[in-house]
Amino acid sequence: MAKVIHVHLTGKRRDYYFTSITAVFTKLTAEEVGATKNYLLHAGLSGNGTVITRKAIIKQSTLISSPRRGRGLE
């Protein structure tokens, strides 16, 4: 299972999904998110945590996928 970072920009009502906190800042700025990369890295997002800023709701979750065929679960 892989992790996913969900960023919901409250003012723009837009949602973005990223593979890491670092990836968030390749598309969005700290001003748009309302937090710096360093802050989010230390804010406790691991373990399905959530950080709420004035501009965004940032969540880390686990991406669930179906098992591949031929893996004994058909």
Side-chain angles (χ1 to χ4, degrees):
M1 288 194 236
K3 72 176 178 180
V4 62
I5 307 294
H6 174 205
V7 178
H8 173 75
L9 298 180
T10 54
K12 296 180 181 181
R13 296 185 184 172
R14 301 213 48 185
D15 293 286
Y16 296 94
Y17 300 89
F18 301 95
T19 57
S20 66
I21 293 170
T22 300
V24 170
F25 294 96
T26 63
K27 174 73 176 170
L28 303 170
T29 65
E31 185 176 303
E32 290 173 305
V33 176
T36 64
K37 175 181 166 183
N38 193 44
Y39 176 79
L40 292 179
L41 287 170
H42 296 93
L45 283 176
S46 62
N48 297 332
T50 301
V51 171
I52 300 172
T53 70
R54 290 182 178 200
K55 297 184 177 188
I57 300 169
I58 304 104
K59 297 181 178 185
Q60 179 175 312
S61 300
T62 303
L63 188 62
I64 301 169
S65 61
S66 63
R68 291 184 177 181
R69 292 179 145 244
R71 299 266 178 153
L73 298 174
E74 295 181 15

